[in-house]
Structures are given as C-alpha cells and as structure tokens.
Amino acid sequence: MRAQPLNRTTHPQAPAAPVRIVHLGLGAFHRAHQLWYTQHSEADPSDPQWGFASFTGRSPRMSDLLSAQDGLFTLMVRGPESDEPEIIGALSDPRAADDLRRLWELLAAPSTAVVTLTITEAACNLGPELSFDAAEETVAADLETLRAAFAAGSFDTDAVGVPASPAAKLVGGLAARRAAEAGPIAVVSCDNLSANDRAAHHAIQGLAAELDPQLGQWIERSVSFVGTSIDRITPATEDSLLDDVAQATGFADQAPVVTEPFSSWVLQGEFPAGRPEWERAGAVFVEDLEPFERRKLWLLNGAHSLLAYAGQLRGHETVEQAITDEVSRQQVLEFWDEAAHHLTTPGLDVPAYREALLERFENPRIRHNLAQIAGDGLTKLQMRAVPVLKAERSAGRSGEAAARMIAAWTVYVDGRDELSDSRAEQVLEASRSEDRIRARRAPGRAAGRADRGDRADHGSGEGPARPSPSRGSRAPHGNWPRPAQAPAAHRLRRRRLGRQPGLLAVDLLPGRVLAAGPGHRRADLRGHALRRRLQGHPHRVRHRSHEHPHGQVPTPHHGLLRAAGALGRSRVLAGRPARYERRADLGRRHLLPAGVGLLHPGQHPHSAITSINLAAGVAPAAFFLLAAILVQSYPLTDQRPAEILLDLRTRKDTGILPTAACQEMEAARGAAGASPAAAPSSADGADHAEHDGIPPSAPDGQGSGSR
Ligand SMILES: NC(=O)c1ccc[n+]([C@@H]2O[C@H](COP(=O)([O-])OP(=O)(O)OC[C@H]3O[C@@H](n4cnc5c(N)ncnc54)[C@H](O)[C@@H]3O)[C@@H](O)[C@H]2O)c1
Ligand SMILES: O=P(O)(O)OC[C@@H](O)[C@@H](O)[C@H](O)[C@H](O)CO
C-alpha cells in the first residue's frame, strides 16, 4: 500500500493550538521532548491550548519539511522490543531560522508566555564560567547587526542581515516585547548544560545590556530564566526510520524522530505569563535543580562521552555496542562510582538510576551513534568529566576514571584532520603546529635528550620509590626536540616536563600549566627546598613568600614556586593553623579549582607525595588538557593551545611522563586496528545541526546523499 502524505487534513489530529510558546532549535530533541510533553499536558486533547512556533537553528530544511505537514510528525517511541508510533501535533507553526519578522512579532505578543531553547551547548557563545564576552567573534558581529537594526527602527533583514546567535535573535524580540509592553515572559533552556538557566541569562542579558542598559534592566525585571534537567535519548534520524514509520502508520512522514520510551523533565523557576501543565505528562518542578542536573549530566552524559571516546577507540560505533563490551562497561561503572561519591542528596536514588541507565544504554533497537555524541568534547567535558575529577581530587582521591574520559578525548582528537567541535579550528591548529615542530626534530639531539632524561630519572636517587612507567616504554619515534623558536617560558616548561612525575601544579591566575619532578636537577634553591619538603623535610621550606604582592604571577617559574609553596604551606596548617590559615586558603583557592588540590591541611607529606604521584601517574597529559579546558585565563587562542597540545604530545610520545590512561587509550586504538570512525567533521557537524536532525540523505532532494 502506498503511504499517504501526513498533514492535518489526512490525519485526524486536533487543529493547531494557538501559539503561546516560541522555540529556537527545531531539532530532533525538541520534537521528542518539549513537543511531546506539551501534547500530553493538554486537559482536553481535542481542544489544545498551547501551541509552539518553533524556529530552526540555521537551515530552513526542517521547517520546510514540517510546514508541508502542517507541523505534524511521527514520534517513533522505540522500546527494546517494539515501536509505538505517535503523531505529535503541538507544533503549530514551524519556522525558518531567519524568519526574524515572525519571531519578533511573536515575542512582542502578550499571548506568548514561554520561550524554550535547544540550540546545543556551544551555541551560547559564552566564555569561561558562562561569562559574557562582547569581544567574542559571533557576539561582536551580532552586536553590530542589532545596533544597525535598532538604529533603523525596524528589522529589515535584507538591509541589516540576521544575527547568528539565538541569544541575539531573542534580544531583538525582547526589545520588541518591551516596546509593546507585552509583559513578562519565561525563557527555558533545554540544553545539556550545567546551570542552563544561567547560561541563557548571561548570553541574553549580556548582549542586551551591551546594546542598551535600559533594555538590560527590563530583561532583569521581566524575563524569568528557568533551569531544567532534560532527558530522553534521541538519536539523529536515519533514513531507515522513514520506511519504518511509513510501514507502521501508513504516512509518508518526511520528518519523523525516533526516541526511547523513557523521558524526564525537571524544572526550576517561575513562569510569570503561565505555562502548560507539563506535570500531567510527568514533568517535575523543584526548588533545587542542581542535584538532578548533576545526576543526569554526570551519570548519563558523562557515561555517553566516556563511551564516545574510549568506546570508539575500541572500535565501537554505537552506545549499545560499547556498553555491552565488558571493558567499556567497566570504565563506565568506575566513572559512576566516582561520580556517586558526590551525588548524595537524599532522593536521588543513584543505584536505581544507574541500573535504569544500563538498561537504556543496552536498548538494542536505539542506534545512538557514538560519533554524534563525541562532538563538541571541549565544551562537554567541562560539565561531564571535570567536576567529578575535581570533586574526587578534593576528596583526596585520584579521579582516575574521570581522568580517563579526558585522556580518551585527547587520544581521540589527536591527529585528526577534522573535528566536530565549535572550537575545532583552534584544537586542530594546535595539533598542526605540533606537527610542524615534530617535522623539525633533530634525531641526534633528540636521542641525547632521551639519554639525559633517563639519567635524570635514574640519577636523582631522591624521593620515595615509585613506579616509573616511562622505563622501557619509550615510544618508537623517540623524543622531541625543543622547538627552535620557543619562548623562554615554553622552554622552561618543556625542560620541566622531561622529568619524572612528582609535582604537578596548575597555576590558575595566569593560566600557566607547570610541572616539575623530584628528579629535577636544575631546580633552584627554592625548588630544591620544596622538593626536600615534600620528601619529609618540612623545616627546609620555610614558608618563603613566593607570592607576588598583588597575587599575580609574573612568570611561569614563579607560578610554579608559588603553587608549590602554597601546597607546602597548606600542609603546615596542621601544626600551626592560626598562622598559616590565610596562606593555606590561598593555596586551596589557587589549586583546587584546577583539580590539583592534592595536598590537604594535616595531610602527611608521604601521602601527599603518593597522591601527587598517583595523579601524575594516572593521567598527567589529561591534566594539561584539563587545564586548557578549565583554566579561566587559558583561552584556546594564540599560541597557547599549541603549547598545551605540544606538552601533551611530548609526554605521551616520549614516554617520559607516560600516562596510564593515555596508554590505555592508545592501546585501545591499536587493538581496534585503526582510527575510530571519523566523527562528523566540523562541517558535517554544522550540517547535522543545520539539518535539524534529518539525515543529509533525506528524500525529495532535501539532502546530499541518496537513500
Ligand atoms: N538528542 C538528545 O538525546 C538530547 C537529550 C537531551 C538534551 N538534548 C539537548 O538538545 C540539544 C539539541 O539536540 P538535538 O538532538 O535536537 O540535535 P539536533 O542536531 O537535532 O538539533 C540541534 C538544533 O540546534 C540548532 N543549532 C545547532 N548549533 C547551533 C548554533 N550554533 N546556533 C543556533 N542554532 C544551532 C540546530 O539548527 C538544530 O535546530 C543538544 O545540544 C542537547 O543539549 C539533546
Ligand atoms: O546532545 P548532546 O550532544 O549534548 O549529548 C549527547 C548525548 O549525551 C545526549 O544527547 C543524551 O542522549 C541526552 O542528554 C539524553 O537525555
């Protein structure tokens, strides 16, 4: 039987509800989640009250497809054994991303009560700590566009263009709402971000205040930013789904979505202009979202990212394949154990949540590609791995399983020509500059350096016995030379890196990452004293003040010393709390935020050394990348990423500071026989986003491939 077109004439769906919600990001998840919840929240399904006008993020493909279907589409709810297709009708008005006129008109209407967002993590264009940065490229361009639009008094996109970022589009619409005195409104971010309400707030408020302080103040008073934890595994649509849907429903739906039976929506915040009764569909409103958000981002998304990198390195393509591999599964369980230490809020029921997650991941009928999940690692790891690693470090444990996730990412991105990451160019450029340095390598000198490195490792005779995984594990391509034109600070850092693991310090203020080992021969007096101190001679490091008077660190060397000094002092706190408390706090403040708070007040030096070595032995490479990800003043710009990745690769390749985690991942890649399936390139990634969840090979000439 020939499938018939899907629309409100061919399907006995209720009429389209009046638009009261505006959505940005008409992708797969929006259709599987917010539209489903809204449809199921109607008291009388035959007379729906809450309709969406949903705008695509960039390309008009999805709005074109859905407009042709009067907004209807099939949600294929795919359980482990069977499918439950459902036609969703809550989308009243599908719109293209550049239809600013309609967007602003809707935002200026008092009947519009809510804005929802699924625009991906990276689309907020925010800096570290969700800070607003007016100089950021997209933000700066959008500011210019909005200024021109405001100056013109009306928005003629032909004349001034369309701002690129969702935040800028909303700011324009909110200005129109203010002018129309249409009243307050709620903005609900449904992206996998920690503190997604704050992210939306900062992105929108930052732009508005920059444009017009009064608009900024109005937004402060009139826009409620609602935080959410959202959950429903919704892979990108594959071609085969169109056939499955046609068979199951008899409709030739061009825009179906597949999702799992499970769904969850936890919200925190006010809806000053009203909202659908989402509770009817199972949504939960809470006073404190954070524990739920952490549980979901760490356990579900963290496991996803771990599987995406480590699992692909082991040759897997989907979540289900990876989670049924004993090794990958064990890595997930270990990560969950670490995360669970910090998910102690009553009511979270972590064991049951973990159990349910395993079942969800094992659903053999949901094909969730790891390559899709792997995109935007730099942003995602900040929320999925780093907080667990930091919390574990703060608790005096290694955080090995969380570090493994980062280490897996470092191996995964290494050597790629393309990367699906909003900061792909910066990471790739770093990789390339590393290659250039590699090409300049002088083998003789490199060999000599290797020898020196060995002597240094063996020769110090200092420090407690510790495993030296570097020995016998030199990479076949030997050591790397010092880059010919490296700046002094860089040379210093590289010299330090050629030592045994011992002390690792991440200095937050200038964003410098520094390391030194107990085998460091050229340590100056203070460094030497520090070494002795860490080895059990506390009296030898007498609380020298290495701090700069203003708390700024002028050079990396000083940075290291200060960081090290702070470590030393913080231990002294045990004996002389009153005297050293302030400095200990200084040390904690500087070191803990980077996850390197290995030394705690009252901790015995030996256990400190053990934990430092453990940290260095677990994944020193990860630390450096971690610092790149984490450290506020370490934006991935200029030469810095090159330096970071160079450091990273130097240690990994020479084996001078080999890392268990990186080696494990390298071995996994070796065992898989080849690089994992290429993740979507940045261009592909953009395409994927632009396709709003429809495969590039969708029919009717919508895609680039063939079915
Ligand atoms: N898919 C899931 O399982 C799932 C579950 C929970 C939360 N989420 C959240 O929803 C978001 C969207 O996921 P999806 O599966 O719908 O992806 P998708 O690729 O199907 O849709 C992404 C949407 O975001 C838009 N977009 C992407 N980058 C943008 C940019 N830079 N500026 C403006 N718009 C942009 C795209 O145009 C598209 O409309 C995710 O990033 C995630 O944060 C997804
Ligand atoms: O959508 P992303 O890219 O943020 O993350 C990929 C997956 O981890 C994610 O989509 C999950 O499937 C989802 O968060 C489940 O609710």
Side-chain angles (χ1 to χ4, degrees), residues 303-315:
H304 262 179
S305 288
L306 180 53
L307 294 174
Y309 307 120
Q312 284 198 85
L313 291 170
R314 288 181 59 76

Side-chain angles (χ1 to χ4, degrees), residues 25-29 57-58 118 120-121 123 191-192 232 234 688-689 692-693:
L26 181 42
F29 182 63
R58 290 180 284 202
T118 53
T120 77
E121 293 89 326
D191 275 303
N192 282 326
R232 190 165 207 179
T234 307
H688 166 64
D692 294 290

Side-chain angles (χ1 to χ4, degrees), residues 123-327:
C124 290
N125 304 105
L126 289 170
E129 293 288 306
L130 306 178
S131 58
F132 175 76
D133 177 6
E136 198 273 338
E137 210 178 323
T138 313
V139 173
D142 280 351
L143 276 169
E144 211 168 294
T145 308
L146 284 175
R147 278 196 189 103
F150 283 18
S154 71
F155 202 87
D156 177 359
T157 51
D158 290 339
V160 293
V162 178
S165 70
K169 291 175 182 171
L170 288 177
V171 166
L174 291 171
R177 189 174 186 89
R178 174 174 168 243
E181 298 183 2
I185 193 165
V187 171
V188 186
S189 167
C190 299
D191 275 303
N192 282 326
L193 280 168
S194 29
N196 51 18
D197 52 341
R198 267 203 302 132
H201 187 169
H202 288 190
I204 292 168
Q205 171 71 26
L207 265 171
E210 192 75 21
L211 277 168
D212 172 1
Q214 286 183 337
L215 175 61
Q217 286 161 15
W218 181 85
I219 288 178
E220 273 307 301
R221 287 193 307 275
S222 311
V223 181
S224 167
F225 291 92
V226 176
T228 64
S229 172
I230 59 281
D231 192 3
R232 190 165 207 179
I233 293 173
T234 307
T237 300
E238 295 190 335
D239 290 354
S240 57
L241 183 66
L242 277 67
D243 296 332
D244 295 349
V245 164
Q247 278 202 348
T249 65
F251 288 106
D253 185 352
Q254 303 301 304
V257 186
V258 69
T259 194
E260 61 172 342
F262 177 93
S263 70
S264 143
W265 199 1
V266 188
L267 304 97
Q268 179 198 345
E270 302 302 316
F271 289 81
R275 62 167 172 82
E277 286 183 70
W278 285 316
E279 302 90 328
R280 278 179 197 278
V284 178
F285 288 79
V286 296
E287 291 294 313
D288 182 10
L289 180 68
E290 198 181 344
F292 298 94
E293 176 193 284
R294 285 179 171 194
R295 183 181 66 175
K296 195 265 174 171
L297 275 178
W298 294 357
L299 298 182
L300 192 157
N301 297 112
H304 262 179
S305 288
L306 180 53
L307 294 174
Y309 307 120
Q312 284 198 85
L313 291 170
R314 288 181 59 76
H316 302 303
E317 283 180 20
T318 66
V319 171
E320 186 255 337
Q321 284 170 8
I323 199 67
T324 48
D325 164 358
E326 269 316 309
V327 174

